[in-house]
Short mmCIF file of all heavy atoms in Angstrom, two decimals:
data_model
loop_
_atom_site.label_atom_id
_atom_site.label_comp_id
_atom_site.label_asym_id
_atom_site.label_seq_id
_atom_site.Cartn_x
_atom_site.Cartn_y
_atom_site.Cartn_z
N THR K 188 32.79 35.44 24.45
CA THR K 188 31.38 35.17 24.64
C THR K 188 31.24 33.72 25.08
O THR K 188 32.19 32.92 24.96
CB THR K 188 30.59 35.36 23.33
OG1 THR K 188 31.04 34.38 22.38
CG2 THR K 188 30.77 36.77 22.76
N THR K 189 30.07 33.36 25.56
CA THR K 189 29.84 31.97 25.95
C THR K 189 30.05 31.03 24.75
O THR K 189 30.65 29.97 24.88
CB THR K 189 28.43 31.79 26.54
OG1 THR K 189 28.31 32.66 27.67
CG2 THR K 189 28.18 30.36 26.98
N ALA K 190 29.54 31.43 23.59
CA ALA K 190 29.70 30.60 22.39
C ALA K 190 31.17 30.42 22.03
O ALA K 190 31.61 29.31 21.67
CB ALA K 190 28.94 31.21 21.22
N GLN K 191 31.95 31.49 22.11
CA GLN K 191 33.37 31.40 21.81
C GLN K 191 34.09 30.50 22.81
O GLN K 191 34.92 29.67 22.43
CB GLN K 191 34.00 32.79 21.80
CG GLN K 191 33.55 33.65 20.64
CD GLN K 191 33.97 35.10 20.78
OE1 GLN K 191 34.25 35.60 21.88
NE2 GLN K 191 34.03 35.80 19.65
N TYR K 192 33.73 30.66 24.08
CA TYR K 192 34.32 29.81 25.12
C TYR K 192 33.99 28.34 24.84
O TYR K 192 34.88 27.48 24.88
CB TYR K 192 33.83 30.22 26.51
CG TYR K 192 34.28 29.26 27.58
CD1 TYR K 192 35.58 29.33 28.09
CD2 TYR K 192 33.44 28.26 28.04
CE1 TYR K 192 36.01 28.42 29.04
CE2 TYR K 192 33.86 27.35 29.00
CZ TYR K 192 35.15 27.43 29.49
OH TYR K 192 35.58 26.52 30.42
N GLU K 193 32.72 28.05 24.58
CA GLU K 193 32.31 26.66 24.33
C GLU K 193 33.00 26.08 23.09
O GLU K 193 33.36 24.90 23.08
CB GLU K 193 30.79 26.57 24.19
CG GLU K 193 30.04 26.81 25.50
CD GLU K 193 30.25 25.71 26.53
OE1 GLU K 193 30.51 24.56 26.16
OE2 GLU K 193 30.15 26.03 27.72
N ALA K 194 33.19 26.90 22.07
CA ALA K 194 33.88 26.42 20.86
C ALA K 194 35.33 26.08 21.18
O ALA K 194 35.81 24.99 20.81
CB ALA K 194 33.80 27.47 19.76
N LEU K 195 36.03 26.98 21.85
CA LEU K 195 37.42 26.71 22.21
C LEU K 195 37.53 25.50 23.12
O LEU K 195 38.41 24.66 22.95
CB LEU K 195 38.05 27.94 22.88
CG LEU K 195 38.25 29.18 22.01
CD1 LEU K 195 38.71 30.35 22.86
CD2 LEU K 195 39.23 28.90 20.88
N LEU K 196 36.61 25.39 24.09
CA LEU K 196 36.63 24.26 25.00
C LEU K 196 36.39 22.94 24.26
O LEU K 196 37.06 21.94 24.52
CB LEU K 196 35.58 24.45 26.11
CG LEU K 196 35.55 23.37 27.18
CD1 LEU K 196 36.86 23.35 27.97
CD2 LEU K 196 34.37 23.59 28.12
N THR K 197 35.46 22.95 23.32
CA THR K 197 35.18 21.74 22.55
C THR K 197 36.40 21.30 21.75
O THR K 197 36.73 20.10 21.72
CB THR K 197 33.97 21.96 21.61
OG1 THR K 197 32.82 22.26 22.41
CG2 THR K 197 33.69 20.74 20.75
N VAL K 198 37.08 22.24 21.12
CA VAL K 198 38.29 21.90 20.37
C VAL K 198 39.36 21.37 21.32
O VAL K 198 39.99 20.35 21.06
CB VAL K 198 38.80 23.11 19.55
CG1 VAL K 198 40.11 22.77 18.84
CG2 VAL K 198 37.76 23.58 18.54
N TYR K 199 39.53 22.05 22.45
CA TYR K 199 40.51 21.62 23.45
C TYR K 199 40.21 20.20 23.94
O TYR K 199 41.11 19.36 24.02
CB TYR K 199 40.49 22.61 24.63
CG TYR K 199 41.42 22.23 25.75
CD1 TYR K 199 42.78 22.52 25.67
CD2 TYR K 199 40.94 21.59 26.89
CE1 TYR K 199 43.64 22.18 26.70
CE2 TYR K 199 41.80 21.24 27.93
CZ TYR K 199 43.14 21.54 27.83
OH TYR K 199 43.99 21.20 28.85
N GLU K 200 38.94 19.92 24.27
CA GLU K 200 38.56 18.61 24.79
C GLU K 200 38.68 17.51 23.74
O GLU K 200 38.71 16.33 24.09
CB GLU K 200 37.12 18.64 25.32
CG GLU K 200 36.99 19.44 26.61
CD GLU K 200 35.56 19.57 27.10
OE1 GLU K 200 34.61 19.38 26.30
OE2 GLU K 200 35.39 19.87 28.29
N ASN K 201 38.79 17.88 22.48
CA ASN K 201 38.97 16.90 21.41
C ASN K 201 40.42 16.86 20.95
O ASN K 201 40.70 16.56 19.79
CB ASN K 201 38.03 17.23 20.24
CG ASN K 201 36.62 16.77 20.52
OD1 ASN K 201 36.30 15.60 20.36
ND2 ASN K 201 35.77 17.68 20.99
N GLY K 202 41.33 17.16 21.84
CA GLY K 202 42.75 17.04 21.55
C GLY K 202 43.34 18.20 20.78
O GLY K 202 44.45 18.10 20.26
N GLY K 203 42.64 19.29 20.69
CA GLY K 203 43.17 20.48 20.02
C GLY K 203 42.80 20.62 18.56
O GLY K 203 43.09 21.64 17.94
N THR K 204 42.15 19.60 18.00
CA THR K 204 41.73 19.64 16.60
C THR K 204 40.41 18.90 16.46
O THR K 204 40.22 17.83 17.04
CB THR K 204 42.77 18.97 15.68
OG1 THR K 204 44.02 19.65 15.84
CG2 THR K 204 42.36 19.04 14.22
N VAL K 205 39.50 19.48 15.68
CA VAL K 205 38.19 18.87 15.47
C VAL K 205 37.69 19.30 14.09
O VAL K 205 38.08 20.35 13.58
CB VAL K 205 37.22 19.29 16.60
CG1 VAL K 205 36.89 20.77 16.55
CG2 VAL K 205 35.96 18.47 16.61
N SER K 206 36.83 18.50 13.48
CA SER K 206 36.24 18.91 12.21
C SER K 206 35.19 19.99 12.49
O SER K 206 34.60 20.04 13.56
CB SER K 206 35.59 17.73 11.49
OG SER K 206 34.38 17.36 12.14
N ALA K 207 34.99 20.86 11.52
CA ALA K 207 34.00 21.92 11.67
C ALA K 207 32.61 21.32 11.88
O ALA K 207 31.82 21.83 12.67
CB ALA K 207 34.01 22.84 10.45
N GLY K 208 32.32 20.22 11.20
CA GLY K 208 31.03 19.55 11.36
C GLY K 208 30.83 19.01 12.77
O GLY K 208 29.75 19.13 13.35
N GLU K 209 31.88 18.42 13.32
CA GLU K 209 31.81 17.89 14.67
C GLU K 209 31.64 19.03 15.68
O GLU K 209 30.88 18.92 16.64
CB GLU K 209 33.06 17.09 15.00
CG GLU K 209 32.98 16.32 16.28
CD GLU K 209 34.19 15.41 16.48
OE1 GLU K 209 34.93 15.13 15.53
OE2 GLU K 209 34.39 14.99 17.64
N LEU K 210 32.30 20.14 15.42
CA LEU K 210 32.15 21.31 16.28
C LEU K 210 30.71 21.80 16.25
O LEU K 210 30.11 22.09 17.29
CB LEU K 210 33.12 22.42 15.86
CG LEU K 210 33.14 23.67 16.72
CD1 LEU K 210 33.49 23.36 18.17
CD2 LEU K 210 34.14 24.68 16.14
N SER K 211 30.12 21.87 15.06
CA SER K 211 28.71 22.26 14.93
C SER K 211 27.80 21.35 15.73
O SER K 211 26.91 21.82 16.45
CB SER K 211 28.26 22.20 13.46
OG SER K 211 28.81 23.23 12.72
N ARG K 212 28.02 20.05 15.60
CA ARG K 212 27.17 19.08 16.32
C ARG K 212 27.33 19.24 17.83
O ARG K 212 26.35 19.19 18.56
CB ARG K 212 27.50 17.66 15.88
CG ARG K 212 26.94 17.31 14.50
CD ARG K 212 27.13 15.84 14.16
NE ARG K 212 28.52 15.46 14.02
CZ ARG K 212 29.27 15.70 12.94
NH1 ARG K 212 28.76 16.34 11.91
NH2 ARG K 212 30.53 15.30 12.89
N ASN K 213 28.55 19.42 18.30
CA ASN K 213 28.79 19.58 19.73
C ASN K 213 28.17 20.85 20.29
O ASN K 213 27.68 20.87 21.41
CB ASN K 213 30.29 19.56 20.03
CG ASN K 213 30.83 18.17 20.20
OD1 ASN K 213 30.71 17.58 21.25
ND2 ASN K 213 31.40 17.64 19.13
N LEU K 214 28.21 21.92 19.51
CA LEU K 214 27.68 23.20 19.96
C LEU K 214 26.18 23.33 19.72
O LEU K 214 25.55 24.27 20.20
CB LEU K 214 28.40 24.36 19.26
CG LEU K 214 29.89 24.51 19.55
CD1 LEU K 214 30.49 25.61 18.69
CD2 LEU K 214 30.14 24.76 21.03
N LEU K 215 25.61 22.39 18.94
CA LEU K 215 24.20 22.44 18.54
C LEU K 215 23.92 23.70 17.71
O LEU K 215 22.90 24.37 17.89
CB LEU K 215 23.27 22.36 19.77
CG LEU K 215 23.49 21.17 20.69
CD1 LEU K 215 22.59 21.26 21.92
CD2 LEU K 215 23.28 19.86 19.96
N TYR K 216 24.84 24.02 16.81
CA TYR K 216 24.74 25.17 15.92
C TYR K 216 24.55 24.70 14.49
O TYR K 216 24.94 23.58 14.14
CB TYR K 216 26.04 25.99 15.96
CG TYR K 216 26.18 26.95 17.10
CD1 TYR K 216 25.38 26.88 18.23
CD2 TYR K 216 27.14 27.94 17.04
CE1 TYR K 216 25.54 27.78 19.27
CE2 TYR K 216 27.30 28.84 18.08
CZ TYR K 216 26.50 28.76 19.18
OH TYR K 216 26.65 29.65 20.20
N THR K 217 24.04 25.59 13.65
CA THR K 217 24.01 25.31 12.22
C THR K 217 25.43 25.45 11.69
O THR K 217 26.29 26.09 12.33
CB THR K 217 23.11 26.32 11.48
OG1 THR K 217 23.68 27.63 11.61
CG2 THR K 217 21.68 26.28 12.01
N SER K 218 25.68 24.90 10.52
CA SER K 218 27.02 25.02 9.95
C SER K 218 27.36 26.48 9.67
O SER K 218 28.51 26.90 9.85
CB SER K 218 27.17 24.16 8.70
OG SER K 218 26.26 24.59 7.71
N GLY K 219 26.37 27.27 9.26
CA GLY K 219 26.62 28.69 8.99
C GLY K 219 27.01 29.45 10.25
O GLY K 219 27.93 30.28 10.22
N SER K 220 26.32 29.19 11.35
CA SER K 220 26.65 29.85 12.61
C SER K 220 28.05 29.43 13.08
O SER K 220 28.82 30.25 13.59
CB SER K 220 25.63 29.51 13.69
OG SER K 220 24.38 30.07 13.38
N THR K 221 28.36 28.16 12.90
CA THR K 221 29.68 27.67 13.31
C THR K 221 30.76 28.29 12.44
O THR K 221 31.82 28.68 12.95
CB THR K 221 29.74 26.13 13.23
OG1 THR K 221 28.71 25.60 14.06
CG2 THR K 221 31.08 25.61 13.69
N THR K 222 30.52 28.41 11.15
CA THR K 222 31.49 29.03 10.25
C THR K 222 31.79 30.46 10.69
O THR K 222 32.95 30.88 10.75
CB THR K 222 30.98 29.01 8.80
OG1 THR K 222 30.82 27.64 8.40
CG2 THR K 222 31.94 29.70 7.85
N HIS K 223 30.76 31.20 11.03
CA HIS K 223 30.94 32.59 11.50
C HIS K 223 31.73 32.61 12.81
O HIS K 223 32.64 33.43 12.98
CB HIS K 223 29.58 33.25 11.67
CG HIS K 223 29.65 34.65 12.16
ND1 HIS K 223 30.12 35.70 11.39
CD2 HIS K 223 29.35 35.19 13.37
CE1 HIS K 223 30.10 36.81 12.11
NE2 HIS K 223 29.63 36.52 13.31
N LEU K 224 31.38 31.72 13.73
CA LEU K 224 32.06 31.65 15.01
C LEU K 224 33.54 31.31 14.82
O LEU K 224 34.43 31.94 15.43
CB LEU K 224 31.38 30.60 15.90
CG LEU K 224 31.95 30.35 17.29
CD1 LEU K 224 31.93 31.61 18.14
CD2 LEU K 224 31.13 29.25 17.97
N ILE K 225 33.83 30.34 13.98
CA ILE K 225 35.21 29.95 13.70
C ILE K 225 35.97 31.14 13.09
O ILE K 225 37.11 31.42 13.47
CB ILE K 225 35.27 28.73 12.75
CG1 ILE K 225 34.76 27.49 13.48
CG2 ILE K 225 36.69 28.51 12.23
CD1 ILE K 225 34.49 26.30 12.56
N ALA K 226 35.33 31.84 12.16
CA ALA K 226 35.98 33.00 11.52
C ALA K 226 36.36 34.06 12.54
O ALA K 226 37.46 34.63 12.49
CB ALA K 226 35.07 33.59 10.44
N ARG K 227 35.45 34.33 13.49
CA ARG K 227 35.74 35.34 14.53
C ARG K 227 36.93 34.90 15.39
O ARG K 227 37.79 35.70 15.73
CB ARG K 227 34.52 35.56 15.42
CG ARG K 227 33.31 36.15 14.74
CD ARG K 227 33.46 37.63 14.57
NE ARG K 227 33.92 38.22 15.82
CZ ARG K 227 33.45 39.28 16.38
NH1 ARG K 227 32.48 39.93 15.82
NH2 ARG K 227 33.95 39.74 17.51
N LEU K 228 36.96 33.62 15.75
CA LEU K 228 38.07 33.12 16.58
C LEU K 228 39.36 33.04 15.79
O LEU K 228 40.45 33.24 16.34
CB LEU K 228 37.69 31.77 17.18
CG LEU K 228 36.58 31.84 18.24
CD1 LEU K 228 36.06 30.45 18.58
CD2 LEU K 228 37.05 32.56 19.49
N GLU K 229 39.25 32.79 14.51
CA GLU K 229 40.43 32.77 13.64
C GLU K 229 41.00 34.19 13.50
O GLU K 229 42.22 34.38 13.56
CB GLU K 229 40.05 32.20 12.27
CG GLU K 229 41.23 31.90 11.38
CD GLU K 229 40.80 31.23 10.08
OE1 GLU K 229 39.72 31.54 9.56
OE2 GLU K 229 41.57 30.38 9.59
N GLU K 230 40.12 35.19 13.35
CA GLU K 230 40.56 36.59 13.27
C GLU K 230 41.33 37.01 14.52
O GLU K 230 42.26 37.81 14.44
CB GLU K 230 39.35 37.52 13.12
CG GLU K 230 38.70 37.50 11.76
CD GLU K 230 37.36 38.25 11.75
OE1 GLU K 230 37.04 38.97 12.74
OE2 GLU K 230 36.64 38.11 10.74
N ARG K 231 40.94 36.45 15.65
CA ARG K 231 41.62 36.76 16.92
C ARG K 231 42.88 35.94 17.13
O ARG K 231 43.58 36.09 18.12
CB ARG K 231 40.67 36.53 18.09
CG ARG K 231 39.55 37.54 18.16
CD ARG K 231 38.70 37.38 19.38
NE ARG K 231 39.47 37.42 20.62
CZ ARG K 231 38.96 37.12 21.81
NH1 ARG K 231 37.69 36.75 21.91
NH2 ARG K 231 39.71 37.18 22.89
#
């Protein structure tokens, strides 16, 4: 999805590792939405 792509791209652009909070801020998501998004990408 676009959100999944943007999350992976944000982590990639930050050297492959980023804090969950920083990811939320970059994506303009709530922490809960980011947690769900991370979980889906982690499952994959």
Side-chain angles (χ1 to χ4, degrees):
T188 64
T189 302
Q191 291 170 338
Y192 173 80
E193 290 292 332
L195 292 173
L196 183 64
T197 298
V198 177
Y199 178 81
E200 289 176 341
N201 282 279
T204 302
V205 67
S206 73
E209 190 174 343
L210 184 58
S211 288
R212 285 187 295 282
N213 274 278
L214 296 175
L215 306 176
Y216 278 16
T217 64
S218 61
S220 293
T221 303
T222 298
H223 179 71
L224 179 60
I225 292 168
R227 295 281 313 226
L228 291 168
E229 191 175 34
E230 287 169 12
R231 290 185 56 189

